[in-house]
Amino acid sequence: DGGITQSPKYLFRKEGQNVTLSCEQNLNHDAMYWYRQDPGQGLRLIYYSQIVNDFQKGDIAEGYSVSREKKESFPLTVTSAQKNPTAFYLCASSIQGSNTGELFFGEGSRLTVL
Amino acid sequence: GQQVMQIPQYQHVQEGEDFTTYCNSSTTLSNIQWYKQRPGGHPVFLIQLVKSGEVKKQKRLTFQFGEAKKNSSLHITATQTTDVGTYFCAGARGSQGNLIFGKGTKLSVKP
């Protein structure tokens, strides 16, 4: 089945450690996105990529980094510089890099900093 | 910055009652999308509205886009327990800007 796979589903990290969240899609979509969701909040955009080897900062990029070396993959690194990293992270993709198409979401990764 | 406001934040209804959530933007939107997130799940696309005054129906769900393209609503007729979840609107400004999500309306349905 086509879709988006995020891993790990749950992750625990000590303060000061970097952690990388995986996002893979086999939908052949050009655009990929990372969102952060906190309780009672909407989805906030961290980074997005409209094409391979190119990505842009979203609204809350500080303390995060991404890469887009392959069309299928868009990993997110939560660095130690992120002051409040405990959250639910959602990866999404869309057919093309515009806001006029449906977003397909992965099942999410829940990060807890101890 | 640009915001999309969504109300109410929570709604508790008895099964069979109707439910409505509203989305408002201070600026004109090029389109608006609606998503549903079940408890413990991920957002799933429901619909996209593009035209001024547009109304679309999906079974018991009715979606509207305002004439000025600044507001939208989702109405569920005769709620069922399967409707439980958080409903998000997401607005777009222009063809290149990113979607801005509302904070969502969490619906609970009492059997």
Side-chain angles (χ1 to χ4, degrees):
Chain A
D1 277 7
I4 299 180
T5 301
Q6 287 187 241
S7 63
K9 194 168 184 179
Y10 299 96
L11 186 60
F12 298 88
R13 187 195 95 177
K14 292 182 180 180
E15 279 193 30
Q17 290 181 335
N18 291 355
V19 62
T20 297
L21 308 180
S22 170
C23 179
E24 303 278 332
Q25 56 102 354
N26 60 4
L27 299 168
N28 200 31
H29 286 173
D30 285 321
M32 297 187 74
Y33 311 80
W34 274 105
Y35 287 91
R36 170 179 172 141
Q37 186 175 31
D38 295 284
Q41 301 294 315
L43 280 66
R44 293 184 290 167
L45 184 64
I46 304 173
Y47 268 97
Y48 63 101
S49 168
Q50 298 184 353
I51 198 167
V52 174
N53 291 323
D54 188 41
F55 49 82
Q56 287 80 40
K57 293 182 179 180
D59 300 317
I60 55 166
E62 185 175 352
Y64 300 97
S65 66
V66 293
S67 63
R68 187 86 187 276
E69 297 176 1
K70 298 186 299 181
K71 187 175 185 177
E72 314 80 59
S73 179
F74 191 41
L76 173 74
T77 296
V78 184
T79 75
S80 56
Q82 168 51 232
K83 294 180 182 178
N84 189 17
T86 294
F88 188 49
Y89 291 89
L90 287 158
C91 179
S93 71
S94 62
I95 292 175
Q96 59 185 22
S98 76
N99 57 28
T100 58
E102 171 184 357
L103 289 178
F104 293 79
F105 284 89
E107 294 189 347
S109 293
R110 192 168 297 278
L111 172 63
T112 303
V113 174
L114 305 173
Chain B
Q2 180 185 351
Q3 286 187 334
V4 172
M5 307 302 294
Q6 192 173 352
I7 57 170
Q9 190 174 1
Y10 301 97
Q11 186 78 57
H12 309 282
V13 300
Q14 192 78 32
E15 189 172 20
E17 292 181 339
D18 292 356
F19 159 77
T20 305
T21 173
Y22 300 91
C23 214
N24 293 286
S25 169
S26 57
T27 58
T28 302
L29 302 171
S30 59
N31 71 79
I32 195 157
Q33 298 180 11
W34 286 91
Y35 291 81
K36 176 183 178 181
Q37 184 175 22
R38 285 199 162 95
H42 58 279
V44 174
F45 176 83
L46 294 176
I47 208 159
Q48 177 174 276
L49 304 172
V50 179
K51 298 177 183 177
S52 169
E54 189 170 13
V55 178
K56 286 188 176 180
K57 292 189 176 184
Q58 290 179 351
K59 297 182 180 179
R60 295 178 294 105
L61 277 62
T62 302
F63 304 84
Q64 294 189 1
F65 201 10
E67 293 290 341
K69 300 182 74 173
K70 289 185 177 182
N71 56 74
S72 181
S73 65
L74 157 59
H75 180 83
I76 302 178
T77 303
T79 54
Q80 300 175 358
T81 54
T82 53
D83 295 325
V84 164
T86 301
Y87 293 84
F88 292 98
C89 62
R93 183 181 176 191
S95 61
Q96 297 302 319
N98 289 306
L99 286 172
I100 306 296
F101 279 81
K103 291 188 176 182
T105 297
K106 187 173 183 179
L107 172 65
S108 62
V109 179
K110 187 175 181 181

